[in-house]
Amino acid sequence: MLYSKYEWRVKAPDHHTAQWLAKEMSLSPVVASLLAARGVLSLEDGNRFLYGSLELTHDPYLMQGMREAVPRIRKALEDREHILIYGDYDADGVSSTSLMIQLMRELGASYDIYIPHRANEGYGLHNHALDWAHQQGVSLVITVDTGISAVEQIAYANELGMDVIVTDHHEPPERLPDAYALINPKMKTCPYPFKGLAGVGVAYKLAQALVGEPPKEWLEIVAIGTIADLMPLTGENRVLVKQGIESMRFTRYEGIRCLLEVSGVHVEQVTAVNVAFAMAPRINASGRLDHAGRAVTLLTTESREEAERLAFELDALNKDRQQVVETIVQEALEMVNAKWGERLPSVIVLAGEGWNVGVVGIVASKVLERFYRPVVILGIDPESGNCKGSARSIPGLDIYEALNSCRDVMDHFGGHPSAAGMSLHRDRLDEFEHALQQFADGVLREEHFTAVCEADLECSMSDVSLPVIEQLELLGPFGMANAVPKIIFRDVTVQEVRKIGKEGKHLKLRIAQKGQQIDALFFGSGHLADLLPAGTVMDVLGEMSVNEWNGSRRLQLLVQDLRVSSRQVFDFRGTPEPLSAIKRWRAELAPYLQCSADKSAVVYAKDSHPEIKSQLYDMCLWVYDRNAGIMPDNDVAESKPKEDTSVLFVLDIPESAEQLDAMMKAFHNVPNIFMLHPTRNERERLLIPSREQFKQLYVLLAGMASSPVPEQEAVAQLKRRTSLSSRMLAKALDVFEELVFIQRSKGWITFVPKPEKKPLDASRHFRELSNLADMEQHLLHAGTEQLTQWMMSRTKDVS
């Protein structure tokens, strides 16, 4: 049984509305159902959602501060003032800065740009940068994607005689800066109807106010920043991004074209998903490991040669970033285990010396995905003791609000309900962690720690033909608040399974349902290959897509989650280092096996694994016992109910069928059994005894042991003449001795000429041999399917 990582919640379909939309808009039932699930209830809403254009965007002058900002910028243009565009180092900041460069070029302005270095300077306005700007003759500063919290810095700019226009979209603090103009739709006093713009979206509204109708290609830059900053692709954002993606398919920007090409994306087929997973990480890599200015140059250069060089540089930086992230994630996971074990707090706060502050946000996301609770990751400068970090949160906790509750502990913080950044000194880390925990404990409840995946639809594979999935693209662009539709298929059967990609990191399946077959990919889940043998019946949740290869278009499912409802036996007989394998599986498969230490049991032969108590000390350890069948071998096993066991690891086979039955009875409800016992040499194989075999042995013994003969010599002769194993012959002699057909004494055996006639099954040894041979036949020599069926039948027999 494999548990799903998420709790699946299927949206209740509005069948009446879906049928009406399908008829009125000529849509397939599947697409119409998905449209209704997105809140489309009328023909007008449907046309706006599917075919909305720039006419649906709002008047930029509805935004507070715009009527002050535009005349000030126009005055600066007339007077040839030197303008500074002050941006940020993430993809939204890079896009915002790049868009403003396009605007400045369009307006013929005298301008400079400044983006702080993530590691050396950190987020936001800095006084030393304002000093530099003042020396350059700047009299007007326009911030993009930053500035709403820069109270002291803008006051300093005012002292220097520079006006500051802030364009931002982050959560405004209680005290706002005294800027010449503040443009942020999230300000409480701002009447702008759409609050979900990215920083680049706000910058675009300023451009609209200044030039009327900006060139359509500027929307390509808007799309990049909006998608990368995980802004909701609804309302105005949906229109802006959709138009931007359409323009991007014919882009004239050399940087965008080269970046798509180096990412392996066909320019003419680019989607919002490609921007999110191919372009955005490479743009962000510039600011994470180097300086974001390189990405700005890429997006604004008109030179193909320069664009190619920069695109390859960003691609290389992204590869380096991936390695840095992987290293820190492993260190963070080890830290979690050492600090808390399996008793995790409401908020995970981790800090490490030398951790690259450019990637701590990504690390936080990965740690959150592993443990599903809010995470704060901080990098510590070992020389200054200053910490810079990023937080990622779950829906139950507004992380910005949580940070605001302990703002006195930090030097600076800012962000959104789901993601934020902060800086503080290492001396205050304990105080910071305690304050965050206290706030989170008052907000979060147990149900908040269950990851939920909202599925849009449950249907059969026959319902999702290629034309249906092609029509599904009308619902794009897909991203935040308008996710790629997730569909559940139940009772699909695995036809083929294999690992693909570097080091077998990914999983490829061929699945079938009622005669329909499709390929399925599960990225990052190659480790599940051995747990999904052909024939496994499971439920899957995923996203449908079209795979294009050599002119052929085929459906494929991108799996997000899966579950197997039936009990399973996993055949890993002969695993060379079983204790290490158990630790690895528990780490890799925890979400699917729910194998916390106190719910994981190990059964083994006494003294067979001397190191087990030091390596698996926190698990329930059991040993075989001649009298009781199995016995607890540590305190954890004694204290935890066997009924709660979720996974059983069998390290050794029992000595008898009675011990096997005792084990199966004790763990008759366990969902998953891992068979890890060593295999045995075929020459030591036991056969289920037959009367013909014993009759033959009896005749042979009569001919060689009429006078005492060494037992070792007798066994050797019998082995040559029967091909039975030494073990089998030794146990046969036990039967003959018990029935008084032979006598044994000090290593010698003697045949009894006229023994009392007794049936073979009157011998306890004969019955034990039969049961033991049958057990070993299945445990040691049967194929995986036969072993599984036999283990399941034994469980039923003893339950």
Side-chain angles (χ1 to χ4, degrees):
M1 177 183 291
L2 299 183
Y3 300 90
S4 55
K5 286 194 302 184
Y6 305 99
E7 177 187 335
W8 299 358
R9 293 181 184 170
V10 186
K11 296 173 183 175
D14 184 339
H15 294 296
H16 177 75
T17 301
Q19 290 174 356
W20 182 79
L21 287 173
K23 179 182 178 182
E24 294 296 323
M25 302 189 70
S26 301
L27 299 172
S28 74
V30 167
V31 175
S33 294
L34 293 169
L35 198 59
R38 279 158 167 70
V40 174
L41 305 177
S42 69
L43 197 58
E44 182 183 0
D45 289 343
N47 285 319
R48 186 183 296 113
F49 188 91
L50 297 181
Y51 312 112
S53 65
L54 290 173
E55 295 175 358
L56 299 176
T57 59
H58 305 295
D59 183 348
Y61 283 100
L62 291 175
M63 202 170 287
Q64 182 177 332
M66 196 67 75
R67 295 190 182 280
E68 292 76 27
V70 171
R72 179 65 185 88
I73 294 171
R74 286 183 173 147
K75 180 179 184 303
L77 295 172
E78 292 171 3
D79 297 345
R80 298 303 298 165
E81 295 181 54
H82 198 47
I83 301 171
L84 178 68
I85 307 301
Y86 195 109
D88 186 29
Y89 40 66
D90 68 0
D92 187 15
V94 165
S95 302
S96 303
T97 305
S98 300
L99 182 70
M100 291 303 289
I101 289 174
Q102 300 294 347
L103 176 63
M104 293 295 105
R105 289 175 178 173
E106 179 81 6
L107 297 173
S110 170
Y111 71 97
D112 260 317
I113 69 166
Y114 191 95
I115 297 178
H117 191 285
R118 183 190 288 261
N120 299 337
E121 297 173 277
Y123 176 80
L125 279 170
H126 297 282
N127 286 352
H128 65 265
L130 295 172
D131 286 332
W132 171 83
H134 187 247
Q135 293 169 6
Q136 303 304 308
V138 168
S139 55
L140 175 62
V141 178
I142 304 174
T143 74
V144 287
D145 194 33
T146 190
I148 197 63
S149 301
V151 175
E152 296 176 1
Q153 292 81 3
I154 290 177
Y156 183 68
N158 292 338
E159 291 176 9
L160 294 176
M162 294 187 293
D163 291 333
V164 181
I165 294 172
V166 171
T167 72
D168 201 353
H169 74 127
H170 293 94
E171 296 293 333
E174 292 179 10
R175 182 186 173 195
L176 296 172
D178 183 22
Y180 189 92
L182 292 175
I183 303 175
N184 183 335
K186 289 183 179 175
M187 290 191 300
K188 293 178 181 178
T189 53
C190 180
Y192 196 75
F194 185 70
K195 306 295 184 181
L197 291 171
V200 69
V202 179
Y204 180 78
K205 301 311 291 187
L206 176 61
Q208 265 190 322
L210 282 163
V211 301
E213 187 175 337
K216 186 177 180 182
E217 57 262 30
W218 290 9
L219 289 170
E220 299 174 34
I221 301 173
V222 175
I224 292 171
T226 303
I227 295 167
D229 215 40
L230 304 180
M231 291 296 102
L233 297 191
T234 58
E236 190 167 12
N237 279 347
R238 176 175 172 79
V239 175
L240 297 176
V241 170
K242 186 174 184 179
Q243 297 290 323
I245 294 295
E246 289 176 359
S247 176
M248 201 179 294
R249 290 171 182 159
F250 308 94
T251 186
R252 291 184 291 179
Y253 288 126
E254 295 292 351
I256 289 177
R257 180 173 293 278
C258 289
L259 192 57
L260 287 170
E261 290 172 354
V262 82
S263 304
V265 177
H266 296 294
V267 178
E268 64 278 3
Q269 296 171 358
V270 64
T271 66
V273 175
N274 298 142
V275 173
F277 293 100
M279 295 183 74
R282 289 168 172 82
I283 293 172
N284 274 322
S286 177
R288 295 185 191 282
L289 299 189
D290 186 52
H291 192 280
R294 195 185 303 200
V296 171
T297 303
L298 173 67
L299 292 183
T300 56
T301 184
E302 296 176 353
S303 164
R304 172 75 183 186
E305 183 179 352
E306 184 178 37
E308 286 181 346
R309 175 179 59 80
L310 289 170
F312 278 108
E313 289 177 4
L314 293 194
D315 187 55
L317 278 174
N318 190 51
K319 290 183 172 68
D320 292 343
R321 187 270 306 166
Q322 290 171 331
Q323 186 57 55
V324 171
V325 167
E326 184 61 31
T327 300
I328 299 177
V329 167
Q330 290 306 313
E331 292 176 8
L333 294 179
E334 291 169 6
M335 198 178 290
V336 169
N337 186 54
K339 193 172 180 180
W340 296 293
E342 294 180 356
R343 296 182 176 274
L344 296 174
S346 298
V347 179
I348 294 174
V349 179
L350 301 171
E353 281 195 2
W355 283 358
N356 188 314
V357 298
V359 301
V360 289
I362 302 174
V363 174
S365 295
K366 290 184 176 293
V367 176
L368 182 150
E369 183 181 354
R370 173 68 177 80
F371 299 109
Y372 199 70
R373 55 197 60 221
V375 176
V376 179
I377 303 290
L378 301 114
I380 305 173
D381 185 326
E383 294 182 2
S384 66
N386 292 326
C387 305
K388 294 178 182 177
S390 285
R392 298 293 183 269
S393 193
I394 59 179
L397 182 73
D398 184 327
I399 195 65
Y400 180 84
E401 185 182 351
L403 290 173
N404 192 49
S405 72
C406 54
R407 58 187 176 276
D408 295 340
V409 180
M410 297 173 288
D411 299 328
H412 177 81
F413 78 99
H416 308 290
S418 60
M422 76 295 298
S423 60
L424 66 155
H425 196 270
R426 70 185 308 166
D427 292 343
R428 307 203 73 176
L429 277 174
D430 289 343
E431 186 181 357
F432 171 67
E433 181 176 359
H434 176 74
L436 268 187
Q437 299 290 3
Q438 194 170 28
F439 181 89
D441 288 342
V443 174
L444 294 170
R445 297 181 299 277
E446 191 61 35
E447 59 265 27
H448 289 127
F449 299 121
T450 300
V452 173
C453 185
E454 298 279 355
D456 299 82
L457 191 65
E458 183 178 324
C459 64
S460 300
M461 284 166 49
S462 59
D463 295 328
V464 288
S465 63
L466 186 60
V468 169
I469 300 307
E470 289 172 337
Q471 192 181 69
L472 195 66
E473 292 300 317
L474 287 172
L475 273 61
F478 297 117
M480 292 298 293
N482 186 47
V484 177
K486 292 179 174 58
I487 302 175
I488 294 174
F489 300 106
R490 298 196 186 276
D491 297 327
V492 303
T493 303
V494 176
Q495 302 288 303
E496 301 172 20
V497 59
R498 61 190 174 98
K499 299 178 183 179
I500 60 172
K502 186 179 180 182
E503 299 176 354
K505 188 175 181 180
H506 310 300
L507 183 69
K508 184 170 185 179
L509 300 160
R510 184 75 175 166
I511 58 176
Q513 184 192 59
K514 297 178 181 178
Q516 302 288 323
Q517 293 190 13
I518 58 172
D519 289 329
L521 296 175
F522 199 174
F523 292 110
S525 296
H527 55 279
L528 292 178
D530 295 328
L531 306 188
L532 295 169
T536 301
V537 177
M538 63 181 181
D539 301 334
V540 291
L541 182 154
E543 302 169 354
M544 295 300 303
S545 66
V546 178
N547 181 29
E548 298 192 27
W549 180 253
N550 287 338
S552 174
R553 291 168 60 81
R554 298 177 60 183
L555 286 178
Q556 67 178 6
L557 178 69
L558 302 180
V559 179
Q560 307 293 308
D561 200 9
L562 57 80
R563 63 184 174 211
V564 178
S565 300
S566 59
R567 302 175 69 194
Q568 290 180 284
V569 175
F570 301 115
D571 183 4
F572 291 101
R573 291 173 290 184
T575 296
E577 296 182 4
L579 303 190
S580 298
I582 289 173
K583 289 191 287 187
R584 185 181 72 253
W585 284 322
R586 284 194 57 229
E588 291 180 346
L589 303 171
Y592 291 102
L593 295 177
Q594 294 189 2
C595 50
S596 59
D598 58 355
K599 291 188 176 183
S600 302
V602 186
V603 180
Y604 53 98
K606 189 74 172 176
D607 302 324
S608 63
H609 298 276
E611 72 281 20
I612 193 168
K613 289 188 177 180
S614 62
Q615 292 199 31
L616 305 181
Y617 61 90
D618 56 345
M619 296 172 64
C620 300
L621 304 181
W622 294 79
V623 292
Y624 297 116
D625 181 79
R626 289 183 180 274
N627 299 316
I630 60 170
M631 293 283 288
D633 202 32
N634 68 347
D635 293 340
V636 185
E638 288 188 354
S639 63
K640 299 298 179 182
K642 296 185 287 293
E643 295 78 15
D644 293 343
T645 303
S646 62
V647 59
L648 175 67
F649 299 99
V650 180
L651 293 184
D652 299 294
I653 66 168
E655 295 179 356
S656 67
E658 287 75 20
Q659 288 181 358
L660 174 67
D661 288 341
M663 178 183 74
M664 300 307 290
K665 186 174 183 179
F667 298 104
H668 68 276
N669 286 324
V670 67
N672 295 300
I673 302 175
F674 283 72
M675 306 302 289
L676 297 165
H677 55 270
T679 55
R680 185 170 283 161
N681 194 306
E682 187 72 19
R683 290 176 295 181
E684 296 301 309
R685 184 172 186 169
L686 295 180
L687 298 178
I688 298 174
S690 67
R691 284 175 172 75
E692 288 301 316
Q693 283 176 339
F694 273 76
K695 183 177 179 180
Q696 180 188 12
L697 289 175
Y698 185 84
V699 171
L700 291 173
L701 278 171
M704 73 174 67
S706 55
S707 58
V709 61
E711 182 171 329
Q712 191 173 1
E713 181 182 325
V715 169
Q717 288 190 45
L718 291 171
K719 189 174 181 180
R720 285 195 298 271
R721 299 176 71 175
T722 64
S723 299
L724 295 176
S725 70
S726 298
R727 285 183 70 227
M728 182 72 183
L729 291 169
K731 291 188 178 296
L733 293 179
D734 290 340
V735 175
F736 286 142
E737 181 184 27
E738 182 185 355
L739 297 175
V740 200
F741 292 171
I742 64 171
Q743 292 179 342
R744 279 167 154 166
S745 178
K746 299 179 180 180
W748 293 72
I749 63 171
T750 305
F751 182 75
V752 177
K754 294 183 179 180
E756 179 184 347
K757 288 188 177 181
K758 298 177 183 177
L760 282 172
D761 54 14
S763 165
R764 175 178 59 84
H765 285 97
F766 181 82
R767 296 192 301 272
E768 289 178 351
L769 174 59
S770 298
N771 291 333
L772 184 62
D774 179 66
M775 181 184 77
E776 290 193 3
Q777 169 66 31
H778 290 91
L779 293 181
L780 296 174
H781 308 294
T784 298
E785 185 175 351
Q786 187 181 4
L787 170 67
T788 300
Q789 293 175 350
W790 185 78
M791 288 290 290
M792 292 300 182
S793 68
R794 299 291 291 207
T795 306
K796 292 176 183 177
D797 291 342
V798 299
S799 60

